[in-house]
Amino acid sequence: MDTCKIIAAGKAAAQRTVTNDDLSKIVETNDEWISSRTGISRRQITFDESTTDLAYRASVDAINKSGIDKNTIDLIIVATISPDFFMPSTASMLQYRLGLNENNVTAFDLNAACTGLIYAIQVADKFIKSGSVRRALVVGSETLSRTIDWNDRGTCVLFGDGAGALLLERSDSGIMADYTNSRGDAEMNLVLPALPLDSPFSSKLDSPPSKMTMNGGEIFKFATFAIKDTIDNLLRSSRIEIEDISLVIPHQANGRIISKVSKLTKIPLEKFYLNLSKYGNTSSASIGLALAEAMEDGLIKKGDKVLLVGFGGGLTWGGVIHEF
Ligand code: COA
């Protein structure tokens, strides 16, 4: 019992379906441009559900699929860049919603942008291996629609709302390698501002824009580097050959990024699991949402080695190899 295993994956997509044609009524765009440049056909946008609501739905799905007693969960990490509040944390509110308030639970939010779920898996893995935690609930949940400038056609067509939830426990097999990395110097290429400096003791700065901004071209280049770097590092440290990986589940940002990576790494495109045409980029939710669907679709069998890889704001990137 020297590693940590994902025993179930749950998902929740926001209720309202927004097609590319719907967006063409809001900004100057069209289905042809969005489909061909990104691979996205539609996305789910929240109507009245919060980030905590989506996290709760995905968590209940994971708990039901696993059949475990929820009272054995003693760690909850929620990866998010669109929390309902800075405090309380989404994780603490999720603990309450799950009826675990009277239990001894460590609960906190984690921000590594679209790599958030990978970072959260890595942290949970260390907690579990240390023996201080029996089972961990690791969730990526986002309502990015509230962070988007709906007048900016360069970003608003890319993103969606949803959640993915994983249950992890100590096991003989499971996580075989993990890798995370970060680089702060190019942070201004993908930005979601927090509160402006504004106190009686600070010089009044011009209020920064409050919505997400992105340099798409630079992020595209970064993403191809980050995925290749992660795959190379994971294969090297685990001494596993790419031929032994049955499925690669990347962060679901843009189908063209994955085509480029496939050419660059010579990993066949069919090995990459993509469901972004239905959901767009759901940031820290996307890998969990994709893993849950791949499992539902019967694409992952016992013994399969699956590589999860994320990249995003920070800039951050990383991944894990997991034997199911
Ligand atoms: N509809 C129609 N035209 C659009 C458009 C839209 N939604 N968004 C941008 N355009 C226009 C641009 O204004 C530009 O017009 P111009 O040539 O007249 O100036 C043209 O399309 C090309 O823009 P460009 O930015 O060069 O397109 P691109 O091929 O690089 O694709 C992205 C843009 C955003 C799809 C692409 O850069 C990308 O996916 N980057 C990575 C983003 C990402 O994954 N972010 C999240 C990381 S976690």
Side-chain angles (χ1 to χ4, degrees):
M1 298 281 252
D2 57 359
T3 191
C4 158
K5 186 169 201 141
I6 298 170
I7 57 167
K11 64 169 189 182
Q15 310 99 313
R16 178 174 285 187
T17 304
V18 176
T19 64
N20 293 345
D21 285 338
D22 293 332
L23 288 180
S24 71
K25 296 178 188 121
I26 301 174
V27 285
E28 202 182 324
T29 190
N30 55 71
D31 177 49
E32 202 283 324
W33 193 96
I34 303 171
S35 305
S36 62
R37 301 281 178 130
T38 69
I40 298 165
S41 305
R42 58 184 198 266
R43 69 287 295 140
Q44 300 299 124
I45 299 292
T46 187
F47 178 60
D48 55 7
E49 280 185 305
S50 66
T51 295
T52 310
D53 292 331
L54 292 172
Y56 173 71
R57 271 210 283 132
S59 301
V60 169
D61 186 31
I63 291 166
N64 289 342
K65 282 171 174 164
S66 72
I68 64 149
D69 174 1
K70 65 182 180 179
N71 289 296
T72 59
I73 296 169
D74 32 28
L75 171 67
I76 300 176
I77 309 177
V78 177
T80 184
I81 51 168
S82 50
D84 301 320
F85 304 97
F86 288 138
M87 62 178 179
S89 71
T90 318
S92 293
M93 291 192 291
L94 178 59
Q95 174 195 2
Y96 170 69
R97 291 281 297 279
L98 289 170
L100 303 178
N101 241 19
E102 302 309 318
N103 298 359
N104 181 181
V105 176
T106 302
F108 59 93
D109 288 0
L110 181 155
N111 173 354
C114 305
T115 324
L117 195 79
I118 299 294
Y119 270 70
I121 292 171
Q122 194 181 43
V123 173
D125 177 50
K126 311 299 176 210
F127 264 100
I128 287 174
K129 281 182 189 155
S130 78
S132 62
V133 156
R134 286 169 297 175
R135 286 195 171 121
L137 173 63
V138 166
V139 186
S141 186
E142 303 286 7
T143 49
L144 287 177
S145 55
R146 64 168 109 188
T147 74
I148 283 164
D149 176 355
W150 289 99
N151 296 310
D152 176 9
R153 65 178 181 172
T155 54
C156 77
V157 301
L158 300 177
F159 297 96
D161 300 331
L166 310 179
L167 278 164
L168 289 88
E169 68 179 21
R170 204 174 173 89
S171 173
D172 290 328
S173 63
I175 293 174
M176 305 178 77
D178 62 300
Y179 169 72
T180 47
N181 209 334
S182 167
R183 193 176 78 196
D185 63 313
E187 81 280 16
M188 297 320 276
N189 285 327
L190 188 50
V191 180
L192 178 54
L195 301 175
L197 286 177
D198 185 17
S199 79
F201 314 106
S202 65
S203 62
K204 297 268 179 190
L205 300 179
D206 286 343
S207 281
S210 58
K211 299 291 182 177
M212 188 195 300
T213 55
M214 183 182 71
N215 180 338
E218 286 304 313
I219 294 299
F220 195 104
K221 277 188 260 169
F222 157 69
T224 51
F225 152 78
I227 299 175
K228 184 176 180 321
D229 180 62
T230 300
I231 293 175
D232 288 348
N233 271 285
L234 288 172
L235 294 178
R236 197 179 314 124
S237 67
S238 62
R239 295 166 194 234
I240 292 171
E241 302 292 327
I242 189 64
E243 292 70 30
D244 298 325
I245 301 288
S246 46
L247 204 61
V248 178
I249 302 186
H251 169 47
Q252 311 280 313
N254 183 329
R256 266 171 60 224
I257 293 176
I258 303 307
S259 302
K260 185 96 189 274
V261 168
S262 162
K263 284 199 188 93
L264 213 65
T265 57
K266 301 193 172 39
I267 301 172
L269 199 51
E270 309 76 68
K271 209 168 241 195
F272 291 89
Y273 180 81
L274 291 180
N275 64 358
L276 62 87
S277 68
K278 293 189 285 182
Y279 301 114
N281 179 345
T282 56
S283 188
S284 60
S286 89
I287 294 174
L289 223 165
L291 178 61
E293 286 208 339
M295 290 171 91
E296 282 171 8
D297 293 348
L299 298 177
I300 301 175
K301 301 181 295 297
K302 192 171 164 44
D304 280 356
K305 297 183 183 70
V306 175
L307 194 154
L308 311 177
V309 50
F311 56 89
L315 301 167
T316 56
W317 66 103
V320 300
I321 293 179
H322 186 287
E323 183 177 351
F324 281 85

